Amino acid sequence: MTEEDVGLRSEFARHLGRSLYPADRNAIIETLRRNNAPERLVTMAERLPAHERFGNVQSIAEAVGITTEHWRS
């Protein structure tokens, strides 16, 4: 992950909170707007698949193309 990826994921988390999940694209966009998120986050969220539900910020980050860490088991 780059510093930019970490920052973007952190911004998504800050503006979405923890109580949103699971959430669909519309709920994510509405929450970002309600929480005055930067327009770049809203634009990224608008690229999310319309009929998918996201369980956490990690799944949102992956869906919008933010590189995320992968854990080994």
Side-chain angles (χ1 to χ4, degrees):
M1 291 179 69
T2 67
E3 283 186 44
E4 182 180 3
D5 293 332
V6 172
L8 284 170
R9 189 176 71 173
S10 178
E11 279 190 272
F12 269 112
R14 183 173 54 249
H15 292 286
L16 292 172
R18 293 182 182 208
S19 63
L20 176 67
Y21 307 103
D24 63 14
R25 185 183 117 193
N26 290 337
I28 292 166
I29 292 168
E30 289 173 19
T31 301
L32 289 170
R33 286 188 174 138
R34 184 174 54 249
N35 291 331
N36 300 310
E39 190 59 33
R40 73 178 179 281
L41 295 183
V42 175
T43 299
M44 292 174 84
E46 288 172 341
R47 297 191 315 239
L48 291 168
H51 300 292
E52 190 170 335
R53 291 183 67 77
F54 299 89
N56 55 39
V57 75
Q58 180 88 0
S59 61
I60 294 169
E62 290 172 355
V64 298
I66 297 171
T67 304
T68 59
E69 72 273 349
H70 296 281
W71 298 99
R72 293 185 202 181
S73 53

